[in-house]
């Protein structure tokens, strides 16, 4: 550390102004940054900053004339703990015997104004001892802050009076304080989905973060009077090894937080994508591409896991001492090796796991057998932690361990608690070498919310929902399919391996397919079973991609998908894996739109498999069926067969193939009453496939698609599907499936404004206006290379095009405008957003309804790349 000590103690009264003090603060910051880069221990820097603030406040206390007043200036909260990072709050309590007089109030105002001028985040309160106690009794946060209070300046007797009251048993008895803090931690963990493994974590509040360490310290201080981790160790609640580990973890978290605060201008503890690269660089991580961030985040997430495990273990010990007074629950012997004590499981022998590591899996089987077991008892967890670290091989290399693992995979309650506990306590990493590589593995996109390992565990947990009728409304098909799966273990193994190849370069699906096949054979599954698991892993994205990015109303698409799936067992397994995968990726991804698309693909494929792939569907029969049902509905509304026939003679056969009979009847009912020289815009009152259907009828023109999507974009609606076709007499019959900004169907009250907006757009001529909106801040730190791909077709009459681009506001409207300028007609569109990426699929032709030539494709590709790059 630099020998020069920066201090405000020697500043004269005329130097205690914002300009001079700001310069000194900046000097301190620069010095600390250099010391940080020179690997000075972060604790020294944190305490140095605290010492500087202490000295500054002492100097200002004298400068503003508080010396002669019966007042005390007290540091509370993090400042009271002497934990000041560059942007930490300065929490102050002005302790007084009576309300402040006018002079004191003005002096306090001048003091606070100066601190605020220095851009310090200052929180303050002015209270008597009695007021502190009254407020603290009603407010857990205040009570906690008072417990950490530290006298800075002023009347020591007044502060001692406060200390005596705060530490008296009547002020938050330790049992009540313990329970309140545990409840507070549970509520905080729920806000972060009960996981430490979110891709943009909070260094202070996420599970396993600094707040979990603080919670242990607060409880230990309240009950035992321990004021530090070292004192907790002295009381015997931490072993020396655990003390060193917890202290090491705190230092890791402090270093990352200190680095983050050096990068930020405003107080924040979230390690967002925007700052992960610069923080990794400050911390000395190096590597090509995302390697530096990946390495940093793996270290970080593993630190959170260690803190979380120690936190739960120590809270369990505190619970026994504080709440149970050392008593344990009723003991139920489960086997020679294990017993249940209350809601925990205990090893009955010391060093059991070291002597026979495979018994770790026996413990997990007992947890699966008894759903009342919620946790591993603290002494057993200590034993597990020791054994886990002393293992010199992976458990999967033991034959008896393999048998137990497969017994767990096949256990009907395996998904209840066992796999979650195995992940939390490092058993999955101890069992499977590949799993140890994905612990804390980042995923650099806005699509995923969790690390690879956490996402996989959540996928397994989500499958359990398919076995519960209470979830039928959210997962109707899976609740039918999952309970009847004959070989559920194949699905679970595929789930474990589906993303296990991430972070190793290459195609993660291919890596996982190969490794899962070997795993199956090593674990006693047959070769046909291994082939199914490998196929599931290799194709775990197939159903999602087909449903969301292909025209699933095209019989050829269904036939191709069915040929890939081959049989109904694979279809059922793939369905459950796909739905669980989507739900475990991001809690906000699953909606009625995706549910409907997956369902339609599933049922269409099931029909194709049952009919036999050698017997393709009779397209003419489907058209006759749709016409028959639609005509019956129209006749009930009073329309004659002749009226219906005259109208339908104008429509091409494709119209009746690609719409349901209800859609056909809805369109026809309005068209039969509509003047043909005016546009018609219809908005469905009932949700269709989870979204809202907008039907547009008007004289066709090349720019029509672009004008409609631009009008919908102005209404902040997202188009997810479009069917664009023309009648025999040149009228557009276009259907757009849209969702609002919350991925829901449009509320009825918005329909008139949407009809009016689209109607006006249809009557406009000239240049298409696309509203300019700033990209969301979260997109500004991602770049997606625009890619335009032209796919092969069977008949060659139309062109299939895939577009990958950054999902900026107004993207589809800009794409539509390019289509119009390039004389391209859109016949269908599937719009898919995956985090920051738009992955869209279009069926297009030229204005003569012919597939695009190679030259035309090249021109379109160049125009799209230019237009979308300019819009970033």
């Amino acid at each position: 550390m630099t020998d020069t000590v920066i201090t405000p103690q020697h500043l004269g009264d005329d130097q205690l102004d914002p300009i001079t003090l700001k310069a000194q603060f900046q000097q301190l910051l620069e010095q600390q940054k250099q010391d940080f880069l020179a690997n000075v221990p972060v604790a020294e820097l944190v305490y140095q900053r605290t010492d500087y603030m202490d000295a500054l406040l002492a100097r200002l206390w004298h400068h503003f004339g508080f010396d002669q007043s019966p007042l005390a200036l007290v540091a509370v909260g993090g400042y009271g703990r002497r934990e000041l990072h560059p942007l930490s709050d300065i929490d102050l309590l002005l302790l007084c015997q009576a309300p402040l007089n006018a002079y004191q109030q003005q002096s306090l105002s001048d003091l606070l104004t100066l601190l605020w001028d220095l851009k310090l985040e200052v929180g303050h309160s002015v209270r008597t001892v009695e007021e502190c106690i009254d407020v603290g009794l009603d407010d857990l946060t205040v009570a906690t802050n008072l417990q950490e209070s530290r006298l800075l300046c002023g009347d020591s007797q007044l502060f001692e009076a406060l200390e005596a009251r705060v530490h008296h048993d009547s002020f938050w008895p330790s049992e009540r304080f313990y329970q309140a803090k545990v409840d507070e931690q549970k509520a905080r963990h729920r806000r972060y989905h009960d996981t430490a493994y979110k891709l943009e974590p909070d260094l202070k509040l996420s599970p396993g973060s600094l707040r979990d360490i603080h919670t242990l310290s607060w409880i230990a201080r309240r009950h035992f009077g321990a004021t530090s981790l070292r004192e907790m160790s002295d009381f015997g609640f931490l072993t020396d090894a655990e003390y060193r580990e917890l202290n090491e973890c705190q230092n890791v978290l402090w270093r990352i937080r200190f680095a983050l605060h050096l990068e930020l201008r405003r107080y924040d503890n979230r390690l967002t994508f925007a700052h992960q690269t610069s923080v990794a660089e400050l911390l000395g991580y190096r590597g090509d591409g995302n390697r530096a961030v990946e390495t940093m985040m793996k270290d970080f997430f593993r630190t959170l896991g260690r803190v979380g495990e120690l936190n739960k273990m120590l809270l369990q010990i505190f619970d026994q001492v504080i709440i149970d007074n050392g008593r344990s629950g009723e003991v139920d012997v489960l086997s020679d090796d294990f017993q249940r004590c209350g809601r925990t499981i205990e090893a009955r022998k010391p060093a059991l796991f070291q002597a026979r590591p495979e018994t770790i899996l026996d413990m997990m089987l007992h947890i699966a057998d008894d759903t009342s077991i919620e946790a591993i008892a603290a002494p057993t967890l200590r034993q597990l932690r020791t054994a886990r670290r002393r293992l010199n091989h992976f458990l999967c290399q033991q034959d008896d361990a393999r048998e137990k693992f497969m017994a767990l995979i096949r256990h009907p309650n395996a998904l209840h608690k066992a796999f979650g506990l195995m992940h939390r306590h490092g058993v999955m990493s101890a069992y499977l070498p590949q799993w140890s590589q994905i612990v804390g593995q980042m995923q650099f996109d806005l699509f995923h919310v969790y690390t690879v390992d956490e996402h996989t565990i959540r996928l397994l947990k989500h499958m359990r929902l398919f076995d519960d009728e209470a979830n039928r409304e959210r997962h109707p098909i899976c609740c039918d399919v999952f309970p009847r799966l004959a070989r559920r273990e194949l699905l679970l193994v595929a789930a474990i391996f589906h993303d296990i190849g991430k972070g190793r370069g290459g195609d993660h699906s291919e890596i996982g397919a190969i490794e899962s096949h070997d795993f199956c054979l090593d674990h006693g599954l047959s070769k046909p079973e291994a082939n199914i698991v490998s196929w599931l892993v290799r194709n775990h994205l197939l159903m999602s991609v087909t449903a969301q990015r292909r025209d699933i109303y095209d019989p050829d698409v269904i036939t191709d998908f069915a040929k890939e799936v081959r049989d109904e067992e694979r279809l059922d397994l793939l369905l459950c894996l796909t739905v669980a995968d989507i739900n475990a990726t991001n809690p906000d991804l699953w909606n009625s739109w995706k549910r409907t698309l997956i369902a339609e693909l599933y049922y269409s494929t099931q029909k194709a498999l049952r009919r036999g792939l050698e017997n393709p569907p009779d397209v003419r029969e489907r058209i006759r069926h749709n016409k028959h049902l639609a005509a019956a509905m129209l006749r009930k509304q009073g329309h004659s067969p002749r009226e219906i026939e005259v109208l339908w003679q104008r429509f091409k056969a494709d119209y009746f193939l690609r719409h349901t009979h209800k859609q056909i009847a809805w369109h026809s009912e309005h068209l039969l009453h509509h003047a043909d020289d005016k546009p018609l815009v219809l908005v469905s009152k009932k949700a269709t496939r989870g979204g809202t259907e907008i039907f547009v009828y008007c004289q066709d023109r090349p720019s029509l698609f672009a004008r409609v999507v631009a009008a919908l974009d102005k209404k902040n609606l997202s188009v997810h599907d479009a069917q664009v076709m023309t009648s025999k007499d040149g009228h557009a019959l276009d259907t757009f499936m849209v969702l609002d900004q919350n991925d829901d169907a449009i509320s009825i009250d918005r329909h008139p404004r949407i009809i009016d907006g689209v109607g006006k757009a249809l009557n406009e001529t000239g240049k298409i206006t696309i509203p300019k909106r700033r990209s969301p801040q979260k997109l500004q730190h991602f770049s997606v290379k625009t890619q335009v791909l032209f796919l092969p077709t069977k008949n060659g009459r139309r062109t299939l095009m895939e577009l990958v681009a950054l999902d900026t506001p107004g993207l589809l409207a800009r794409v539509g405008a390019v289509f119009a300028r390039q004389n391209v007609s859109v016949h269908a569109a599937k719009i898919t957003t995956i985090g920051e990426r738009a992955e869209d699929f279009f069926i297009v032709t030229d204005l003569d309804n012919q597939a695009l030539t190679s030259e035309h494709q090249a021109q379109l590709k160049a125009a799209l790349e230019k237009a979308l790059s300019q819009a970033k």
Side-chain angles (χ1 to χ4, degrees):
M1 181 181 286
T2 307
D3 293 333
T4 304
V5 178
I6 298 174
T7 175
Q9 289 176 324
H10 306 302
L11 295 177
D13 285 354
D14 59 337
Q15 294 176 296
L16 296 176
D17 62 86
I19 295 176
T20 303
L21 290 174
K22 275 184 182 178
Q24 193 171 72
F25 260 105
Q26 186 61 35
Q27 184 184 358
L28 175 65
L29 181 66
E30 291 299 326
Q31 176 185 297
Q32 289 208 307
K33 185 172 183 178
Q34 293 306 313
D35 287 341
F36 184 84
L37 293 172
N39 291 318
V40 170
V42 68
E44 292 185 27
L45 301 178
V46 168
Y47 297 143
Q48 180 192 57
R49 197 165 191 88
T50 303
D51 291 342
Y52 177 87
M53 185 55 60
D54 287 356
L56 175 62
L57 289 170
R59 183 70 185 85
L60 295 177
W61 183 263
H62 173 75
H63 176 69
F64 287 108
F66 287 104
D67 299 65
Q68 307 305 316
S69 301
L71 302 170
L73 186 64
V74 180
V76 294
Y79 183 29
R81 292 192 304 273
R82 301 190 72 242
E83 295 179 11
L84 280 193
H85 291 258
L87 297 177
S88 291
D89 294 344
I90 312 296
D91 291 325
L92 300 172
L93 165 65
L94 186 63
L95 201 57
C96 54
Q97 293 178 342
L100 302 184
N101 58 38
Y103 173 78
Q104 292 169 332
Q105 289 180 2
Q106 185 58 52
S107 297
L108 177 61
S109 176
D110 293 341
L111 169 62
L112 293 172
T113 298
L114 177 57
L115 295 176
W116 289 329
D117 286 343
L118 297 176
K119 305 301 181 185
L120 297 174
E121 293 289 335
V122 180
H124 76 285
S125 58
V126 181
R127 295 184 180 124
T128 64
V129 170
E130 200 62 41
E131 287 171 339
C132 287
I133 299 304
D134 288 344
V135 175
L137 286 170
D138 292 332
D139 191 319
L140 179 63
T141 300
V142 173
T144 306
N145 285 344
L146 290 174
Q147 183 174 276
E148 298 178 306
S149 56
R150 182 170 58 88
L151 179 65
L152 296 173
C153 320
D155 191 333
S156 59
Q157 291 183 340
L158 188 58
F159 175 70
E160 288 168 4
L162 174 66
E163 288 278 273
R165 295 290 300 277
V166 167
H167 294 296
H168 194 273
D169 289 345
S170 61
F171 181 76
W172 281 91
S174 60
E175 294 90 343
R176 181 184 169 213
F177 185 79
Y178 165 80
Q179 194 58 59
K181 278 298 172 185
V182 169
D183 292 343
E184 180 184 68
Q185 176 171 290
K186 287 178 179 177
R188 173 169 54 83
H189 285 188
R190 283 195 296 272
R191 291 198 299 272
Y192 292 88
H193 301 168
D194 286 306
T195 180
Y197 299 96
K198 296 194 73 173
L199 297 182
E200 294 186 297
D202 190 301
L203 298 171
K204 187 175 178 181
L205 300 177
S206 290
S209 65
L210 288 167
R211 188 60 88 220
D212 280 13
I213 299 177
H214 297 157
T215 298
L216 295 175
S217 299
W218 291 330
I219 293 170
R221 181 188 291 255
R222 188 72 208 152
H223 188 75
F224 310 109
T227 58
S228 66
L229 296 178
R230 166 54 72 187
E231 288 190 19
M232 286 172 62
S233 175
D234 293 341
F235 276 99
F237 292 100
L238 274 174
T239 66
D240 286 343
E242 289 163 356
Y243 160 72
R244 290 193 298 272
E245 181 177 1
L246 205 51
N247 196 54
E248 177 189 326
C249 290
Q250 178 175 269
N251 281 326
V252 170
L253 297 177
W254 273 12
R255 275 190 62 78
I256 297 175
R257 190 184 186 203
F258 204 94
L260 177 64
H261 281 201
L262 289 175
E263 285 296 299
L264 298 177
R265 293 185 178 181
R266 292 184 177 181
Y267 177 79
D268 198 354
N269 292 300
R270 293 171 301 156
L271 192 54
T272 62
F273 289 130
H275 298 107
Q276 287 171 4
T277 300
S278 56
V279 168
E281 184 177 339
L282 274 175
L283 291 168
Y285 289 93
R286 299 290 182 266
D288 296 333
N290 292 321
R291 183 60 59 189
V293 174
E294 283 187 1
T295 307
M296 176 188 73
M297 295 304 290
K298 275 192 174 183
D299 290 346
F300 169 71
F301 284 124
R302 289 172 179 179
T303 299
L304 293 189
R306 294 162 71 192
V307 171
E309 189 173 55
L310 284 166
N311 172 276
K312 284 181 169 54
M313 184 182 75
L314 292 168
L315 286 181
Q316 193 183 128
I317 294 173
F318 289 162
D319 186 276
Q320 291 175 358
V321 173
I322 298 172
I323 303 299
D324 294 337
N325 294 318
R327 297 188 302 271
S328 57
E330 180 181 343
V331 173
D332 181 17
V333 175
L334 303 175
S335 67
D336 289 343
D337 294 327
F338 296 99
Q339 62 190 26
R340 179 171 55 79
C341 183
R343 294 184 175 275
T344 65
I345 188 168
E346 292 182 335
R348 300 181 67 201
K349 302 170 185 176
L352 172 66
F353 300 140
Q354 286 180 246
R356 290 184 288 136
E358 72 280 1
T359 57
I360 296 172
L361 294 169
D362 286 329
M363 179 172 65
M364 295 302 162
L365 283 165
H366 283 303
I367 291 171
D369 285 336
D370 188 343
T371 56
S372 70
I373 296 174
E374 294 183 352
I376 302 170
T380 304
L381 185 52
R382 271 191 171 131
Q383 187 186 145
L384 173 62
R385 286 163 53 82
T386 300
R388 198 177 63 204
R389 291 171 180 176
R390 293 182 180 177
L391 274 175
N392 56 15
H393 63 278
F394 288 98
L395 288 174
C396 67
Q397 295 170 0
Q398 295 182 214
D399 291 340
D400 48 0
R402 290 176 182 173
E403 291 178 11
K404 296 176 194 298
F405 188 85
M406 289 310 298
L408 185 61
I409 285 281
R410 294 186 173 100
H411 197 290
N413 285 331
L415 299 178
H416 180 65
K417 281 261 173 55
F419 278 103
L421 289 172
M422 287 170 72
H423 173 48
R424 181 188 301 165
H425 297 304
V427 178
M428 288 296 290
S429 294
Y431 186 83
L432 194 61
Q434 295 95 330
W435 189 274
S436 65
Q437 297 181 58
I438 62 168
V439 172
Q441 176 64 47
M442 287 289 289
Q443 305 192 71
F444 294 95
D445 55 52
L446 294 177
F447 180 58
H448 293 87
V449 176
Y450 309 107
T451 56
V452 177
D453 54 328
E454 180 67 17
H455 160 70
T456 304
I457 288 297
R458 285 177 175 266
L459 189 158
L460 287 166
K461 288 180 178 178
H462 204 89
M463 285 179 180
R464 181 169 168 262
L465 302 181
F466 303 157
D467 228 357
D468 186 348
E469 277 297 310
N471 299 299
R472 178 168 289 278
E473 182 177 353
R474 183 172 174 83
H475 299 300
I477 309 178
C478 290
C479 284
D480 280 337
V481 170
F482 187 77
R484 70 170 187 250
L485 290 177
R487 295 187 284 183
R488 195 180 292 186
E489 66 271 18
L490 305 185
L491 177 62
L492 270 61
V493 175
I496 290 170
F497 278 88
H498 84 289
D499 274 355
I500 213 159
K502 285 190 171 179
R504 289 191 265 163
D507 184 341
H508 76 277
S509 299
E510 190 62 37
I511 293 170
I514 294 169
E515 293 183 350
S516 64
H517 192 273
D518 293 341
F519 175 92
C520 290
L521 296 181
D522 289 342
H523 284 72
L525 295 178
S526 67
K527 192 168 184 179
E529 289 174 323
N531 289 339
I532 292 175
V533 171
S534 180
W535 179 87
L536 283 169
V537 174
R538 182 177 286 108
N539 294 283
H540 71 272
L541 298 173
L542 177 64
M543 190 171 214
S544 177
V545 168
T546 303
Q548 297 182 70
R549 293 165 54 189
R550 292 292 180 266
D551 181 8
I552 59 175
Y553 304 104
D554 182 342
D556 289 340
V557 170
I558 299 300
T559 299
D560 290 343
F561 179 74
K563 285 179 179 177
E564 187 67 47
V565 173
R566 292 166 48 183
D567 59 57
E568 285 195 55
E569 182 184 24
R570 291 191 183 203
L571 178 64
D572 289 346
L573 291 167
L574 184 59
L575 168 75
C576 294
L577 181 60
T578 300
V579 174
D581 191 18
I582 294 172
N583 280 271
T585 297
N586 185 327
D588 300 326
L589 278 181
W590 187 249
N591 53 30
S592 52
W593 168 253
K594 288 187 176 67
R595 182 175 66 231
T596 305
L597 288 178
I598 296 288
E600 291 184 355
L601 175 58
Y602 173 82
Y603 286 126
S604 297
T605 307
Q606 187 184 65
K607 288 179 183 177
L609 291 170
R610 290 179 177 179
R611 184 178 58 242
L613 298 181
E614 70 280 3
N615 300 310
D618 188 334
V619 172
R620 289 173 296 180
E621 177 57 34
R622 183 187 296 181
I623 291 173
R624 286 194 295 269
H625 179 71
N626 283 342
K627 280 186 171 183
H628 175 74
L629 294 179
M633 293 178 69
L634 290 169
R635 287 196 300 271
K636 283 185 179 180
Q637 295 166 1
H639 297 287
S640 69
R642 179 58 185 164
E643 284 181 292
I644 299 169
E645 183 61 27
V646 169
L647 174 66
W648 286 357
Q649 283 178 353
R650 299 168 50 202
F651 299 167
K652 299 174 184 176
D654 206 31
Y655 171 84
F656 299 99
L657 177 66
R658 293 181 176 274
H659 293 88
T660 67
H661 68 277
K662 291 182 179 179
Q663 288 176 304
I664 296 167
W666 178 48
H667 300 164
S668 300
E669 167 66 17
H670 288 83
L671 288 171
L672 286 167
H673 296 288
H674 181 69
D676 211 38
D677 58 339
K678 295 181 179 179
L680 172 67
V681 180
L682 304 176
V683 180
S684 62
K685 293 182 180 179
K686 293 183 179 180
T688 305
R689 288 186 277 157
T692 298
E693 179 181 346
I694 297 177
F695 176 70
V696 174
Y697 172 84
C698 65
Q699 189 69 38
D700 193 26
R701 52 177 165 157
S703 64
L704 184 61
F705 177 83
R707 293 187 187 279
V708 173
V709 296
L712 295 174
D713 184 67
K714 290 177 182 178
K715 300 297 182 184
N716 206 19
L717 301 175
S718 56
V719 177
H720 283 252
D721 193 285
Q723 287 287 350
V724 179
M725 53 186 65
T726 54
S727 65
K728 295 175 183 177
D729 56 355
H731 282 78
L733 300 160
D734 298 350
T735 300
F736 298 86
M737 298 299 302
V738 302
L739 302 176
D740 67 12
Q741 59 269 35
N742 298 316
D743 279 348
D744 294 323
I746 307 167
S747 59
I748 295 291
D749 61 302
R750 296 186 63 189
H751 288 193
R753 296 192 297 275
I754 292 167
I755 292 172
D756 181 63
V758 174
K760 287 180 179 177
L762 297 178
N763 289 316
E764 288 176 352
T765 57
K767 187 177 179 181
I768 301 168
T769 58
I770 301 172
K772 288 189 176 181
R773 297 201 303 272
R774 180 179 293 181
S775 293
Q777 188 173 5
K778 63 183 180 180
L779 286 180
Q780 295 175 9
H781 307 288
F782 289 90
S783 62
V784 176
K785 182 181 179 181
T786 300
Q787 300 176 58
V788 181
L789 305 173
F790 295 97
L791 308 177
T793 61
K794 289 186 177 181
N795 54 38
R797 293 195 297 268
R798 291 179 173 180
T799 298
L800 309 184
M801 188 195 88
E802 272 191 341
L803 170 69
V804 177
L806 185 68
D807 185 38
T808 53
L811 173 67
L812 187 58
R814 289 193 296 277
V815 171
V818 172
F819 285 154
R821 291 195 298 271
Q822 292 292 316
N823 296 319
V824 170
S825 293
V826 179
H827 295 270
K830 299 278 283 190
I831 311 304
T832 306
T833 302
I834 303 177
E836 74 282 2
R837 292 165 61 92
E839 298 188 358
D840 301 342
F841 172 79
F842 300 91
I843 299 176
V844 297
T845 65
D846 61 20
L847 297 186
D848 295 324
N849 207 28
Q850 299 296 313
L852 305 186
T853 64
S854 298
E855 183 181 358
H856 200 169
Q857 289 180 12
Q859 292 172 354
L860 176 59
K861 178 179 179 180
L864 284 169
E865 289 174 346
K866 180 179 179 181
L868 300 187
S869 63
Q870 290 173 344
K872 293 180 183 177

